[in-house]
């Protein structure tokens, strides 16, 4: 076939025997410089007929051979999953190095004593995997490494001239989740990228924080997937400045609220809205709900009235009453015994959402208590925070934006994949990380901590892009960019020539040289989710045409062999 021979020459020099034998004979060969599925373990599984329900991303990760579950919330990564993880790590390395960060690898064992010094151990005991060595020394499997890295730097850095310092790692973390769920999205063992930053002054630390935020956006931009950035609660990490990075997903446990007109974006946990009587809060309410909760000392019964067509903002309630204990199942019953006693100090506090036009209180369950105690224990309070009256309800889709005159709010269910924290002196102060400043004074170092959930990112991307046929990977982190195969009757040397041309152009290619029908290979490739499938079939034998498939872009076409590299390059720009 002279035409095909000419195409082989156009793809470059061919390897000599034995590598020009048919594809089916290669199973005995170990390595010839090309990626091959005969030498790369991909234990994919067919969907069982009993599996009538729709598969989610986690189901597909298992069936496509990326991972296997070891225990509840603990997973083994198989070769395909490891290639995705390694590509994410390389992308992380690229953007951390651009920040001037040095990579470290910290032990998974952390001293319990350090966590006691930082004050983070108290009240969080159930989250930790704990262990004790033969000498009775107590350790925990680290869920994060602020205490350890702060101690290391405190012993090594003594002057402002040693700063700024940026250290990062990609390491396994451990958290004894009460209810591990959704596979890699909430596990008990997970892989995290943590960047720790150290600056001599608060101003310099704030500048570092903004530089990290830009690096995070650049990292996520390379995935070419839509993401959300929201102001967030720092929680147990400490500090007052933090941002979360999310993929919008119906699998998410977070709600991100965004304005459609300005850059207002915030996690629902932080969204406490000021009440403005001149601004509509949305559709008029149709009735009133009452919510009861107790204080931790059981003496205060909180009674809250709010519109029944809205959801109560428990974060606003906690901001008003930090001592609230929402876990009590029947707060009225628990409070009754105390309130019935004279001089008990029991108090009933009524809060009314300011959007309600008139007071409302259901006294049927409480009137008897007040009568029996001989005095009215009720106090009406205005829901005020920092001198501002606040709404007690969560925003709804279409509610007005609190920061611009024309915007409307939209709520997005989302999966958190990254978080940046400005810590200030939260850890440097208790762990004695000080440096000599430029004016010869000892000052606490200002710190930041910035994480990306590497394993969580794998699970989030899988869920975000999966369809009925299987997974769909962004080109930047796909296990292989191109799956190449030849149909029956196509010589192995032709497949090799195409492989070598794609690889020479920078393509990450794998050949499916398994002794399986072409239809089976294509279905398996869809399950795995390679961005591109290239088939040398009838069109190749007929006139040197190559079939190119890209499911995410809806592309299935035949191009000339000499145009293949250019065409894949064009399509890659969209992936």
């Amino acid at each position: 076939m002279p035409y095909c021979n000419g195409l082989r020459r156009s793809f470059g020099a061919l390897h000599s025997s034995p590598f020009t034998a048919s594809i089916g004979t290669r199973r005995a060969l170990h390595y010839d410089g090309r990626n091959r599925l005969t030498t790369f373990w991909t234990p994919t599984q067919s969907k069982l007929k009993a599996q009538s329900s729709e598969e989610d991303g986690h189901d597909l990760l298992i069936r496509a051979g990326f991972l296997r579950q070891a225990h509840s919330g603990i997973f083994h990564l198989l070769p395909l999953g490891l290639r995705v993880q390694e590509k994410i790590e390389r992308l992380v390395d690229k953007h951390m190095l651009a920040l001037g960060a040095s990579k470290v690898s910290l032990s998974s064992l952390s001293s319990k004593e350090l966590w006691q010094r930082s004050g983070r151990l108290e009240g969080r005991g159930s989250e930790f995997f704990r262990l004790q060595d033969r000498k009775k020394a107590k350790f925990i499997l680290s869920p994060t490494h602020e205490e350890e890295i702060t101690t290391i730097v405190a012993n090594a850095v003594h002057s402002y001239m040693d700063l700024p310092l940026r250290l990062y790692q990609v390491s396994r973390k451990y958290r004894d989740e009460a209810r591990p769920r959704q596979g890699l999205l909430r596990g008990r063992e997970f892989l995290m990228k943590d960047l720790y930053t150290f600056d001599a002054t608060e101003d310099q630390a704030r500048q570092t924080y903004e530089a990290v935020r830009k690096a995070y956006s650049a990292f996520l931009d390379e995935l070419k997937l839509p993401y959300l950035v929201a102001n967030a609660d720092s929680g147990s990490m400490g500090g007052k400045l933090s941002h979360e990075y999310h993929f919008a997903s119906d699998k998410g446990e977070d709600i991100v609220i965004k304005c459609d007109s300005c850059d207002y974006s915030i996690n629902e946990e932080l969204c406490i809205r000021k009440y403005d009587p001149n601004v509509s809060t949305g559709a008029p309410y149709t009735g009133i709900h009452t919510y009861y909760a107790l204080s931790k000392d059981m003496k205060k019964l909180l009674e809250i009235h709010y519109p029944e067509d809205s959801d109560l903002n428990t974060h606003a309630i906690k901001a008003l009453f930090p001592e609230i204990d929402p876990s009590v199942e029947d707060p009225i019953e628990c409070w009754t015994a105390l309130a019935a006693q004279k001089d008990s100090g029991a108090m009933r506090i009524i809060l009314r959402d300011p959007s309600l036009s008139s007071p409302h209180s259901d006294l049927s369950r409480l009137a008897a208590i007040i009568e029996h105690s001989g005095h009215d224990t009720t106090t009406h309070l205005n829901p005020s925070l920092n001198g501002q009256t606040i709404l007690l309800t969560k925003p709804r889709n279409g509610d007005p934006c609190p920061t611009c005159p024309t915007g409307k709010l939209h709520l997005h269910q989302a999966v958190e994949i990254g978080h940046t924290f400005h810590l200030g002196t939260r850890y440097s102060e208790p762990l004695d990380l000080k440096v000599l400043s430029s004016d010869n004074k000892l000052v606490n170092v200002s710190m930041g901590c910035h994480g990306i959930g590497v394993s969580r990112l794998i699970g989030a991307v899988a869920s975000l892009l999966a369809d009925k046929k299987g997974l769909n990977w962004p080109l930047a982190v796909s296990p292989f960019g191109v799956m190449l195969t030849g149909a029956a009757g196509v010589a192995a040397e032709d497949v090799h020539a195409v492989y070598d041309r794609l690889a020479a152009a920078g393509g990450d290619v794998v050949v499916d040289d398994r002794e399986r029908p072409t239809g089976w290979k294509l279905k398996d490739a869809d399950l795995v989710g390679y961005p591109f499938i290239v088939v040398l079939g009838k069109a190749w034998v007929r006139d040197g045409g190559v079939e190119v498939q890209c499911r995410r872009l809806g592309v299935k076409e035949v191009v000339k062999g000499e145009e293949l590299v250019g065409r894949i390059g064009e399509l890659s720009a969209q992936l």
Side-chain angles (χ1 to χ4, degrees):
M1 300 175 63
Y3 187 83
C4 289
N5 287 335
L7 281 174
R8 292 171 201 159
R9 286 194 296 272
S10 73
F11 275 103
L14 301 178
H15 291 275
S16 59
S17 181
F19 300 119
T20 54
S22 67
I23 295 175
T25 65
R26 326 206 65 82
R27 297 185 63 84
L29 300 176
H30 296 290
Y31 184 67
D32 70 346
R34 301 184 181 95
N35 297 316
R36 300 178 175 282
L37 291 187
T38 50
T39 57
F40 188 90
W41 190 43
T42 58
T44 55
Q45 300 170 340
S46 299
K47 186 175 181 179
L48 300 177
K49 292 182 179 179
Q51 293 177 292
S52 56
S53 60
E54 186 174 342
E55 295 174 296
D56 60 18
H58 176 63
D59 297 328
L60 289 168
L61 282 171
I62 291 177
R63 195 159 70 82
F66 284 76
L67 54 87
R68 292 290 185 267
Q69 181 166 324
H71 308 283
S72 176
I74 299 174
F75 299 91
H76 300 304
L77 249 62
L78 304 187
L80 284 170
L82 188 58
R83 280 187 70 90
V84 174
Q85 177 180 295
E86 289 172 342
K87 287 192 174 183
I88 294 174
E89 288 189 51
R90 286 198 291 271
L91 202 57
V92 164
D93 289 340
K94 171 184 172 180
H95 292 282
M96 292 301 98
L97 292 174
L99 279 171
S102 298
K103 195 171 188 178
V104 298
S105 180
L106 304 183
S107 170
S108 294
L109 291 176
S110 185
S111 163
K112 181 180 175 182
E113 184 268 335
L114 279 181
W115 283 72
Q116 289 172 327
R117 283 178 60 190
S118 71
R120 283 209 297 175
L121 194 62
E122 185 178 352
R124 299 180 62 200
S126 62
E127 293 184 20
F128 299 120
F129 287 100
R130 299 167 180 262
L131 62 157
Q132 184 172 283
D133 69 11
R134 67 183 70 192
K135 297 178 181 178
K136 308 301 182 185
K138 295 181 179 179
F139 298 91
I140 59 175
L141 288 178
S142 292
T144 184
H145 282 92
E146 283 72 26
E147 285 79 3
E148 297 288 349
I149 197 70
T150 303
T151 302
I152 292 171
V153 174
N155 292 326
V157 172
H158 307 291
S159 167
Y160 76 97
M161 297 183 69
D162 298 323
L163 301 176
L165 181 62
R166 295 160 170 76
L167 303 173
Y168 81 101
Q169 66 168 343
V170 179
S171 64
R172 291 184 181 274
K173 304 295 183 66
Y174 301 87
R175 208 165 279 156
D176 192 5
E177 291 281 355
R179 294 184 301 113
R181 55 198 179 277
Q182 299 190 61
L184 297 178
L185 296 185
R186 186 166 289 278
R188 297 195 295 164
E189 180 186 48
F190 48 95
L191 198 72
M192 282 284 297
K193 187 284 300 181
D194 287 311
L195 168 68
Y196 303 100
T197 63
F198 305 85
D199 286 276
T201 69
E202 174 73 7
D203 287 344
Q204 291 168 350
R206 294 279 179 145
Q207 293 173 20
T208 295
Y209 184 84
E210 291 306 314
V212 174
R213 285 189 61 193
K214 290 179 181 178
Y216 268 43
S217 293
F219 167 82
L220 292 170
D221 287 343
E222 290 214 41
L223 298 179
K224 296 183 181 177
L225 297 173
Y227 62 91
L228 305 169
V229 182
N231 291 300
D233 183 9
S234 295
S236 64
M237 292 296 296
K240 295 182 179 179
L241 173 64
S242 69
H243 289 83
E244 291 174 345
Y245 304 78
H246 299 85
F247 287 145
S249 169
D250 58 7
K251 299 292 182 183
E253 297 179 333
D254 292 308
I255 300 294
V256 174
I257 301 167
K258 276 187 70 70
C259 174
D260 61 8
S261 184
C262 69
D263 61 358
Y264 179 79
S265 181
I266 193 169
N267 190 298
E268 186 183 60
E269 294 178 354
L270 277 185
C271 189
I272 299 176
R273 298 177 293 163
K274 298 175 183 177
Y275 172 65
D276 184 346
N278 299 314
V279 177
S280 169
T281 56
Y285 64 89
T286 57
I288 297 174
H289 266 316
T290 304
Y291 170 83
Y292 296 97
L294 270 181
S295 60
K296 293 176 182 177
D297 64 4
M298 312 288 281
K299 291 185 177 182
K300 297 184 182 72
L301 178 69
L302 197 61
E303 179 181 320
I304 301 169
H305 308 139
Y306 63 99
E308 69 174 9
D309 57 351
S310 299
D311 292 326
L312 186 66
N313 187 344
T314 56
H315 306 292
I317 303 306
K318 289 179 181 178
L320 291 168
F321 290 93
E323 70 270 31
I324 194 173
D325 183 3
S327 64
V328 178
E329 291 186 3
D330 193 337
I332 294 179
E333 183 179 340
C334 295
W335 184 77
T336 299
L338 180 66
Q341 303 172 20
K342 290 186 177 181
D343 303 322
S344 64
M347 180 182 295
R348 172 170 164 249
I349 300 172
I350 295 179
L351 280 175
R352 182 173 64 89
D353 188 273
S355 66
L356 296 175
S357 58
S358 60
H360 168 83
S361 183
D362 178 10
L363 298 178
S364 59
R365 300 181 66 183
L366 301 174
I369 300 171
I370 295 171
E371 181 180 353
H372 183 77
S373 64
H375 64 282
D376 188 352
T377 61
T378 300
T379 298
H380 291 265
L381 293 180
N382 181 48
S384 178
L385 196 64
N386 299 323
Q388 295 279 345
T389 299
I390 64 170
L391 294 167
L392 301 180
T393 56
K394 296 178 180 178
R396 298 167 295 182
N397 277 312
D399 279 0
C401 175
T403 61
C404 74
T406 59
K408 300 295 182 183
L409 297 181
H410 294 275
L411 279 61
H412 303 269
Q413 196 172 348
V415 173
E416 181 187 345
I417 51 174
H419 207 141
T420 52
F421 298 92
H422 171 65
L423 302 173
T425 60
R426 165 65 182 86
Y427 297 92
S428 59
E429 189 170 350
L431 297 173
D432 201 30
L433 171 53
K434 299 177 185 292
V435 295
L436 197 64
S437 68
S438 58
D439 55 358
N440 290 321
K441 294 180 180 178
L442 277 177
V443 295
N444 291 310
V445 170
S446 192
M447 293 175 53
C449 172
H450 317 282
I452 291 175
V454 175
S455 51
R456 173 176 274 237
L457 187 62
I458 296 173
V461 171
S463 295
L464 187 67
L465 298 180
D467 61 20
K468 293 180 180 180
K469 290 188 175 182
L471 299 167
N472 260 315
W473 294 101
L475 188 60
V477 297
S478 59
F480 294 97
V482 180
M483 190 286 282
L484 170 66
T485 192
V490 175
E493 59 186 17
D494 289 1
V495 176
H496 298 161
V498 174
Y499 179 104
D500 293 342
R501 173 60 66 90
L502 289 169
D508 184 18
V509 193
V510 66
V511 176
D512 191 345
D513 54 348
R514 295 172 291 183
E515 295 180 356
R516 296 278 192 158
T518 302
W520 183 94
K521 293 179 182 180
L522 297 182
K523 187 175 180 180
D524 192 68
D526 280 339
L527 174 61
V528 172
Y530 306 108
F532 295 104
I533 298 172
V534 173
V535 183
L536 274 61
K538 292 180 180 178
W540 175 265
V541 175
R542 184 176 61 250
D543 57 10
V546 181
E547 183 178 296
V548 178
Q549 299 181 20
C550 179
R551 198 163 90 252
R552 276 187 67 196
L553 300 178
V555 171
K556 185 176 181 180
E557 62 188 29
V558 175
V559 301
K560 295 180 179 179
E562 59 269 22
E563 297 174 356
L564 175 62
V565 170
R567 181 55 177 153
I568 287 184
E570 292 172 1
L571 296 173
S572 296
Q574 304 175 55
L575 296 176

